[in-house]
Amino acid sequence: MKRALKGIAAASVVLGTMAAPMSAYAATTHYNTTKVAHESATTLKSIMVTKTEKFTVTIKDSHNKPIKGALVTFRSSNRSVATASPGDVVTNAKGQATVTITGHKAGTAYFTVTANGVSHKYKVTVTQPAAPTVSITGLSNNQTVLTASQTVTVKSNEKSVKLYLNGKLQSGNGPTFKLTLRDGKNTITAVVTNGVETKKQSIYVTLGEPSVSITGLSDGQVVTTASQKVTVNSNEKSVKLYLNGKLQSGSGPDFNLTLREGKNTITAVATNGVDTKKQSIYVTYNAQLAVSSVNAINANEIVVKFNKPVDQASAEDPSNYTVRVNGSALSVPSGKSLTATLQPDKETVILSVDDNSTGVESPILSNGNSYEVDVQGVLDTNFNFVTPYTGATQVFNDTTAPSLVSASVVGDKVKLTFNKPVTETMTVKIDGIVVADGSTTNVTVDGTPGDYSVLTPELTGANAALLAAGTHTVTIYNATDTAGNVATLLTGSYTATTNSSAPSVVSVTPVSKYTFNVKFSEPITANPTVTVKEGSHTFTNVNITETDSTDYQVTVGDDPGNPVYASGATSAVLSVDITGYEDNNGFVGAEYNGTVTLSANGPQVVGGAYFNGSGQLVIPFNETLDGTYGAQTSDITVTQDDVVQPISSATVSGKDLVITLTEAPTAGTYNVSIAKGAVEDATDHISNVAATVSAVYSAPTNYIQPTVDSSTHDVIKLNFGHDMTNSAITASNYTLDGQPLPTGTTLTFYGNKQVVYITLPANSVASDTQELLDISKNVVATDGSVVADSTNHANDFTDMVSLFDNTAPVLKSAQFAVATPGSTSAWGIRVHFSEPVSVDTTGSDFAVYVNGTQVSVTSVAAEADTSYADIALASPINTNQSVTVKVVPAGSQALTKDADNNALTAGTSVSVSGSYVEAPPA
């Protein structure tokens, strides 16, 4: 007996030499009729009605080799029970013929298999499958549910089932199905089949409509406390509640709310997964006026922040404020007064000591001073008194240098705006020209509370060019704030225009949840008219604040029944119309129509965290943070090497979150996880977006400063006092007035590794000047010491250096010198240089060629304007010829030189053209 192919159990018959008529071996022209000696077949199993099974017969010759190409026939004794397909098969190279047996009804059939005249019979039994069963559990017939999402299970004796919801086939083969019901009546049908018989079951389920109502507060109610509680009643288990568009935590039914000042929108939402119902009520919270915060923002100004708008007259009455410095009442010098100035937001007052005649502020505090401010007698806009406020003791410390915010043209002066009050003792250069030196010519300080600008002296005469149309560069040295902090170098620019056109709106950009910025092309004279719409609704609660003469901030508030943000929305698209604005020349700007999209997202971390000089972690955000809300340490986690670091305190300062660790930091990487709710923005009081940042702390460094000598022409000598690495002779580590060193500058160690010479190339300095040398902190000594500012190690080392003109004068042009107008006989030639020079009167520096032939020069005489000189010729020449003047010094360089001893550039030549009338020398 032979084994079936591929390990299939086989039934086989050995034919041996059984006799057969010759016709059994007869062959057609295309079938192999080799005598069959061996036959094997796969075992036929019992099969179910409608099911199929493969059946293979293998034939071999007397040498036990497969017979390829033989015709094998398969015939069923009862085709109603089972059939083979195809009925005739030609064997393959392995001597195999394969057919598919299909069961049609229960019973027995015999298949006669014939190959080259030899036949065998094989039995197959077909059985009837069990009747299918089906039932649905999880939901019952005629049940009513309140949630669209439901789960059912189909129980059946069949492995695969189908489920239909409202006639639509659901995905999957069961037994469990997740369904989303529609409103009203739903039909759920389960279907199974065994291939012969099909069974189904249907049930009917109704999805009920959701209901929702708010109790605890009523629509239109006015309350005097911010903390309130409401209950949401609904037939749904889970509901959502929004306060002023912000989703509240929890799923109900009870919610604790903190209302904001003014009108609040409370919206409850319930859904069954298909249908949503909501109810909104409007509740007004009128808070009692209170002081939110007191903070000295600079040495001149103390800011008092209220929790709501105040009455201007009472807010600006200085008798309503008591200021103590170092425990004693503030001493106001004679001729000056304590002034309280209400800001445009109507909630902020700036306290300052102002000169009674000029209005200029004076410093109130010095670093290290303690201060307290008491407030009483201030009224809100409904004339209710402020809750009396007794200020806590605070210590003033300002160690940050001032920065330049903007520069602009105001009349015949340039206005420089800083981020804090500054003194007049600064040096200002515009396009390289000193316009204020901080001693003999000073800037003028504005001194108005909240206005940190200065004006240059009038730019007239030669300096009028600094007001010409175009962009001008501003360089400021030693800008000092009223706390004594110094910015050694500040740079900026302004664009002057010849104003013959009307102003226009340059941009409208979002600032915060309810605020956007309008920028104009030039300063305008007064607040514009701004109309804000959402859809067809025009907002009435619109406030406009000037931030500078070209920038205005517009704040939009909710109107009754028309909030800026729809319920649940995180953005609002507003239409903006701007009219009624004009520039200082009376040109009226065209009407602007556009849109702006405001966002309700909270403050986000920008950039990376870093350690400040005090070892505190600083995390910058993209907007100003709320100092009253502060920083919630429970929402901040700091780790180093997966070890949580205890936090001593966390505060906010402007746009920065500042974290003080309990233990002093050590070298390594610190990871900071900031959860939502750690901080809020100052404008809309929205929680931050969660973030994770890291900062690297390095061990304290030794800092050094070089001595600087710039008294030698073209060389700046630095003595670092330490052996330096090659970083000290790397040009990219140095700048002059914020610009790279001139191309061609060389840096070399001189005598030892402690002294560096910076040698400037010829023609790199156009005139005598002073510029600020900046040495990067990338410059380090071999012992690891870093070059940095001696006071604030976070800053580069800087020093003013003298630079001397090393640009050689150049021959620019020449004219014929004639005795009378119209004469064609020239006694000499007037030459023009690029700058004033001391001319060599012998004439040895110049050669004059007439039609290519050199003529004799007798002398050269300087003019009153020493950038001109007259060359006298030995004989007159006709002006109607080609005449050229060339610089050809007799020695290695010309004897004609500028005031800094730079020799006239040799080899240059000019063609003589035009005439100049002057009597010849005697």
Side-chain angles (χ1 to χ4, degrees):
M1 182 175 291
K2 303 296 182 179
R3 291 187 59 82
L5 297 177
K6 299 183 181 177
I8 301 174
S12 63
V13 176
V14 179
L15 300 183
T17 57
M18 64 179 293
M22 287 299 294
S23 60
Y25 306 103
T28 66
T29 57
H30 53 279
Y31 295 126
N32 187 341
T33 59
T34 301
K35 182 178 179 181
V36 178
H38 305 278
E39 178 180 324
S40 60
T42 54
T43 301
L44 276 173
K45 300 176 182 178
S46 175
I47 60 176
M48 292 285 187
V49 174
T50 73
K51 304 298 182 182
T52 62
E53 185 175 338
K54 295 292 184 181
F55 178 56
T56 300
V57 171
T58 302
I59 60 174
K60 296 182 180 180
D61 62 16
S62 59
H63 299 290
N64 204 31
K65 293 184 178 180
I67 301 174
K68 176 184 178 182
L71 178 65
V72 182
T73 62
F74 296 80
R75 300 292 182 262
S76 173
S77 64
N78 190 341
R79 294 180 60 79
S80 64
V81 173
T83 57
S85 177
D88 298 332
V89 180
V90 177
T91 58
N92 59 20
K94 295 180 180 181
Q96 295 175 331
T98 301
V99 296
T100 299
I101 306 297
T102 303
H104 298 296
K105 70 177 183 178
T108 300
Y110 294 89
F111 283 90
T112 300
V113 180
T114 304
N116 292 343
V118 178
S119 299
H120 284 87
K121 289 185 177 181
Y122 298 89
K123 179 182 178 181
V124 63
T125 301
V126 180
T127 59
Q128 182 75 23
T133 61
V134 63
S135 64
I136 300 173
T137 61
L139 291 173
S140 57
N141 193 31
N142 295 321
Q143 183 178 350
T144 297
V145 296
L146 299 175
T147 304
S149 296
Q150 298 290 334
T151 301
V152 297
T153 300
V154 178
K155 295 183 176 180
S156 175
N157 59 354
E158 297 295 325
K159 290 184 179 179
S160 178
V161 297
K162 293 181 179 180
L163 190 78
Y164 295 84
L165 174 61
N166 300 315
K168 183 178 180 180
L169 178 65
Q170 304 300 290
S171 61
N173 295 318
T176 301
F177 295 86
K178 294 185 180 298
L179 308 179
T180 301
L181 306 184
R182 69 188 180 191
D183 275 343
K185 187 175 181 179
N186 293 262
T187 302
I188 303 171
T189 302
V191 179
V192 298
T193 182
N194 61 10
V196 177
E197 183 179 3
T198 299
K199 293 288 187 180
K200 64 175 67 177
Q201 183 194 19
S202 294
I203 62 173
Y204 304 95
V205 178
T206 300
L207 176 61
E209 185 177 272
S211 63
V212 65
S213 64
I214 301 173
T215 57
L217 290 173
S218 57
D219 190 33
Q221 184 175 348
V222 178
V223 297
T224 57
T225 56
S227 297
Q228 297 291 332
K229 179 179 179 180
V230 296
T231 300
V232 178
N233 303 298
S234 176
N235 58 359
E236 299 294 328
K237 290 183 179 180
S238 178
V239 294
K240 293 181 179 180
L241 190 77
Y242 295 85
L243 174 60
N244 301 317
K246 183 177 181 179
L247 178 65
Q248 304 299 290
S249 61
S251 56
D254 296 325
F255 295 86
N256 292 313
L257 308 179
T258 301
L259 306 184
R260 71 185 180 197
E261 175 73 9
K263 184 179 178 180
N264 294 262
T265 303
I266 303 171
T267 302
V269 179
T271 181
N272 59 14
V274 175
D275 192 13
T276 299
K277 297 293 183 182
K278 64 176 67 177
Q279 182 196 18
S280 293
I281 63 173
Y282 303 94
V283 177
T284 300
Y285 165 46
N286 287 334
Q288 183 173 0
L289 181 63
V291 174
S292 299
S293 63
V294 173
N295 185 38
I297 60 173
N298 53 64
N300 288 18
E301 299 171 334
I302 298 176
V303 171
V304 179
K305 180 76 175 176
F306 295 92
N307 65 336
K308 59 189 301 187
V310 294
D311 165 63
Q312 183 169 358
S314 63
E316 294 189 336
D317 183 351
S319 66
N320 288 331
Y321 306 89
T322 301
V323 180
R324 293 182 296 278
V325 178
N326 294 331
S328 300
L330 175 65
S331 176
V332 179
S334 176
K336 299 183 179 182
S337 303
L338 178 65
T339 301
T341 306
L342 182 63
Q343 300 303 291
D345 66 358
K346 306 300 183 184
E347 296 180 0
T348 304
V349 171
I350 295 180
L351 300 179
S352 59
V353 172
D354 298 351
D355 187 283
N356 292 338
S357 58
T358 65
V360 175
E361 297 177 335
S362 298
I364 298 175
L365 301 168
S366 299
N367 281 341
N369 287 164
S370 66
Y371 66 96
E372 302 103 26
V373 177
D374 299 340
V375 183
Q376 64 286 314
V378 178
L379 304 172
D380 66 17
T381 53
N382 293 318
F383 303 104
N384 300 307
F385 279 104
V386 66
T387 301
Y389 176 83
T390 300
T393 301
Q394 301 183 68
V395 177
F396 174 73
N397 271 304
D398 180 3
T399 58
T400 304
S403 61
L404 180 64
V405 176
S406 64
S408 60
V409 175
V410 178
D412 57 0
K413 302 176 182 180
V414 172
K415 178 180 178 181
L416 306 173
T417 302
F418 297 84
N419 66 331
K420 57 168 68 174
V422 293
T423 66
E424 61 185 10
T425 56
M426 66 180 72
T427 299
V428 181
K429 286 200 309 187
I430 301 178
D431 294 345
I433 298 173
V434 176
V435 298
D437 59 16
S439 56
T440 57
T441 55
N442 289 334
V443 297
T444 303
V445 177
D446 180 282
T448 303
D451 187 337
Y452 310 136
S453 63
V454 301
L455 290 174
T456 66
E458 293 181 350
L459 303 178
T460 56
N463 287 347
L466 305 180
L467 302 174
T471 299
H472 301 269
T473 301
V474 178
T475 307
I476 303 171
Y477 305 106
N478 300 321
T480 306
D481 66 21
T482 51
N485 300 300
V486 180
T488 53
L489 173 66
L490 298 173
T491 58
S493 64
Y494 62 89
T495 300
T497 59
T498 302
N499 192 0
S500 60
S501 60
S504 62
V505 175
V506 174
S507 62
V508 177
T509 54
V511 173
S512 62
K513 183 177 180 181
Y514 292 97
T515 303
F516 59 88
N517 187 79
V518 179
K519 185 173 185 61
F520 293 91
S521 59
E522 59 178 297
I524 61 174
T525 57
N527 283 7
T529 300
V530 180
T531 303
V532 182
K533 292 183 177 182
E534 189 170 28
S536 60
H537 175 72
T538 300
F539 286 98
T540 58
N541 188 7
V542 178
N543 292 308
I544 305 170
T545 304
E546 179 183 358
T547 55
D548 65 35
S549 57
T550 60
D551 286 275
Y552 290 75
Q553 285 199 348
V554 180
T555 301
V556 185
D558 294 335
D559 283 344
N562 288 282
V564 174
Y565 291 85
S567 177
T570 58
S571 63
V573 179
L574 306 179
S575 299
V576 181
D577 181 87
I578 303 172
T579 58
Y581 60 96
E582 61 182 64
D583 63 16
N584 294 319
N585 294 321
F587 289 99
V588 177
E591 180 177 3
Y592 170 87
N593 294 107
T595 61
V596 64
T597 301
L598 302 183
S599 172
N601 291 324
Q604 302 179 46
V605 173
V606 292
Y610 63 91
F611 281 93
N612 63 16
S614 301
Q616 297 169 304
L617 273 165
V618 180
I619 297 93
F621 284 78
N622 64 338
E623 54 184 308
T624 302
L625 304 178
D626 185 354
T628 303
Y629 182 83
Q632 310 303 308
T633 55
S634 59
D635 292 321
I636 304 169
T637 303
V638 180
T639 60
Q640 183 193 32
D641 296 332
D642 296 326
V643 178
V644 174
Q645 303 297 308
I647 296 174
S648 173
S649 65
T651 59
V652 299
S653 176
K655 295 182 179 181
D656 294 334
L657 166 62
V658 182
I659 301 170
T660 303
L661 300 176
T662 302
E663 300 292 336
T666 58
T669 299
Y670 287 75
N671 295 308
V672 186
S673 177
I674 307 168
K676 182 177 178 62
V679 294
E680 289 185 351
D681 70 277
T683 304
D684 303 312
H685 312 295
I686 301 174
S687 294
N688 61 288
V689 177
T692 300
V693 292
S694 62
V696 176
Y697 181 78
S698 301
T701 304
N702 181 47
Y703 296 97
I704 59 175
Q705 296 79 40
T707 59
V708 181
D709 178 5
S710 60
S711 60
T712 303
H713 278 229
D714 299 338
V715 179
I716 302 171
K717 302 175 183 178
L718 306 175
N719 189 336
F720 291 96
H722 289 65
D723 284 348
M724 304 301 292
T725 66
N726 284 348
S727 60
I729 55 172
T730 301
S732 60
N733 289 328
Y734 299 83
T735 61
L736 284 169
D737 269 5
Q739 301 300 313
L741 298 180
T743 301
T745 300
T746 60
L747 293 90
T748 55
F749 288 117
Y750 190 83
N752 54 49
K753 285 294 188 81
Q754 298 187 10
V755 177
V756 171
Y757 278 15
I758 301 175
T759 304
L760 302 178
N763 300 316
S764 61
V765 182
S767 60
D768 293 354
T769 186
Q770 284 194 322
E771 293 190 1
L772 188 75
L773 173 69
D774 184 296
I775 305 178
S776 164
K777 293 194 294 295
N778 292 329
V779 177
V780 296
T782 56
D783 63 4
S785 298
V786 175
V787 176
D789 182 77
S790 60
T791 304
N792 187 345
H793 297 155
N795 294 336
D796 289 352
F797 171 84
T798 57
D799 194 23
M800 295 297 295
V801 295
S802 297
L803 302 180
F804 302 96
D805 179 2
N806 68 1
T807 300
V810 177
L811 180 63
K812 292 180 63 178
S813 62
Q815 293 177 293
F816 292 107
V818 297
T820 58
S823 173
T824 59
S825 177
W827 59 263
I829 296 171
R830 166 162 288 196
V831 289
H832 181 205
F833 305 102
S834 58
E835 60 178 301
V837 296
S838 175
V839 71
D840 172 47
T841 58
T842 67
S844 63
D845 285 340
F846 306 96
V848 178
Y849 298 88
V850 178
N851 293 325
T853 301
Q854 186 173 357
V855 298
S856 297
V857 173
T858 58
S859 65
V860 180
E863 288 292 318
D865 180 351
T866 57
S867 60
Y868 292 89
D870 294 331
I871 300 174
L873 302 175
S875 301
I877 59 174
N878 190 291
T879 60
N880 295 316
Q881 304 178 81
S882 173
V883 180
T884 303
V885 180
K886 187 174 183 178
V887 180
V888 287
S892 60
Q893 63 178 18
L895 298 176
T896 299
K897 298 180 179 181
D898 66 13
D900 286 280
N901 211 35
N902 297 301
L904 181 65
T905 302
T908 57
S909 62
V910 294
S911 296
V912 182
S913 63
S915 296
Y916 183 83
V917 178
E918 184 168 312

